Amino acid sequence: MDYLQINGGKKLSGSVKISGAKNAALPLLASTVLSSKPIVIKNVPNVRDINTLLKLLSNLGSKFTFEKNRVKIDSSCISSTMANYDIVKTMRASILTLGPLLATFGHCEVSLPGGCAIGQRPIDLHLKALEQMGADIEIKQGYVIAKAPKGLKGATIVFDKITVTGSENIIMAAALAKGKTRIVNVAKEPEVIQLCEVLSDAGVNIEGIGSDEIIISGTDREKLPMKNFSVIPDRIEAGTYMCAGAITNSKITLEEIIPDHLEAIMTKLEEMGFSFETNKNCTTLLPAKKIKPSEIITTEYPGFPTDMQAQFMALMTQAEGVSIVEERLFENRFMHVSELQRMGASIMLRGNSATIQGKIKLYGADVMATDLRASSALVLAGLVAEGTTKVHRIYHLDRGYEKLEEKFKGLGADIVRLKE
Ligand code: EPZ
């Protein structure tokens, strides 16, 4: 297994190009099941989760090539509707094949994703919504067996909780349903919006895109003439590099971003004393005279994203004062805390709230990654820690960060990937 070795204490400088968004590319690749023709998708990040979903789709019969962040895919030749456990267990977002397979073929068998390090992560809201659209859902030997032999029918779906992949599954299912589907309390993340825009460009009538209530007029199982498109930039990767600049109090530039998608993150960094020079699709982070403490409550978009909570917690160890983090979306998303404490951080946990004392000197140590975003927080801490930090089990990082050590090296970090 690989690990990252980081010698801390160096300032960063220069610029970093942000990749396409993993969490946009995943539903968009799943949506190709709905397409009547092959399409080309640009700016797809070459990360493990993407390759896992491509493998799953090819097991179902899709044909694809993936070179230089460009996927050419033809899912119109899918012949199987069984998404098996071997692949689904490695990436829970495989559940995004459920909606499109059921809508297109009238049946499918998708392995239950199971929980993960950050929480139990049920899919009850996905299944309840599909039943409301006329599907017959059965759970058997760890698989969701879904049937809708006469196709899905439009319904009014009110999500009890805002669910990103739940919204995406139902949006894709509704695109081929008969009649209108109204989704209330739909997720508004930029990744969900791009999925709506791509389906709309393929001729699906969707009203209210970007609001918390959308109405989708389905094509009654007529497959979609999907058009080529480019994946939006990854706002969480961008936020992670912003925190790298912030924790080392450096001036760095991020290229190929959509600033609007980063508003909650940039506002929080400004509250902590940093500032930005932003133009169309790039921004420069300017160092803070003094890093101020802050308070974070994670919530759905456009609020502060849960996927940035761990990275900010690392940054807060360098703020001069006491910061608070409240994690409201997942029940176990503080796995990075014990690893940060091993580096010298002073963090107290009480339920879903963490109190971070700053400014604390961090010391390099051997630490272990547990989930995608927690791993990135350990890399950030290593950048500012005195001495050498080794981040183990970085397969978690490889799921969602493209060319991570190359990009950090490009910013001047002393980081190298080594074999255990
Ligand atoms: C998506 O996960 C993202 N993954 C996650 O990013 C992100 O952390 C999360 O949204 C929240 O923003 C992808 O987009 C592939 P949810 P998802 O359904 O859709 C509960 C990363 O780092 N819930 O919005 O699985 C759930 O337990 C990953 O890239 C139900 O109770 O999250 C959670 O408490 C990590 N029943 C809350 O809703 C359901 O049926 C939000 O979950 C579905 C969800």
Side-chain angles (χ1 to χ4, degrees), residues 20-21 23-25 27-28 31 41-43 168 171 188-201 206 209-210 226 228-233 258 261:
N23 288 352
L28 289 164
S31 76
I41 307 175
K42 290 187 184 144
N43 203 30
E168 290 163 346
I171 288 164
K188 297 183 280 192
E189 274 67 4
E191 298 76 28
V192 180
I193 293 175
Q194 183 171 28
L195 175 65
C196 290
E197 287 168 346
V198 164
L199 294 175
S200 170
D201 287 348
I206 305 179
I209 296 177
M226 284 180 77
N228 301 345
F229 58 88
S230 182
V231 177
I232 56 170
I258 298 178
H261 294 170

Side-chain angles (χ1 to χ4, degrees), residues 22-23 26 92-93 118 121-126 161-166 168 189 306-307 329-331 333 372-373:
K22 160 181 88 85
N23 288 352
L26 289 170
R92 64 179 318 281
I118 64 177
R121 303 193 63 190
I123 56 164
D124 56 307
L125 300 178
H126 301 230
K161 273 187 187 175
I162 294 174
T163 162
V164 172
T165 49
E168 290 163 346
E189 274 67 4
T306 174
D307 291 348
L329 268 81
F330 291 110
E331 63 270 30
R333 203 166 198 178
L372 173 55
R373 307 304 173 184

Side-chain angles (χ1 to χ4, degrees), residues 210-263:
S211 75
D212 48 17
E213 179 173 327
I214 59 175
I215 299 176
I216 299 151
S217 304
T219 64
D220 192 7
R221 284 185 285 182
E222 206 178 299
K223 294 183 89 172
L224 309 175
M226 284 180 77
K227 294 185 182 137
N228 301 345
F229 58 88
S230 182
V231 177
I232 56 170
D234 192 320
R235 61 194 167 96
I236 304 302
E237 185 198 23
T240 304
Y241 284 103
M242 283 181 181
C243 285
I247 201 168
T248 54
N249 213 8
S250 310
K251 176 181 177 182
I252 61 166
T253 297
L254 293 91
E255 294 168 353
E256 307 207 6
I257 60 166
I258 298 178
D260 285 357
H261 294 170
L262 287 152
E263 196 170 5

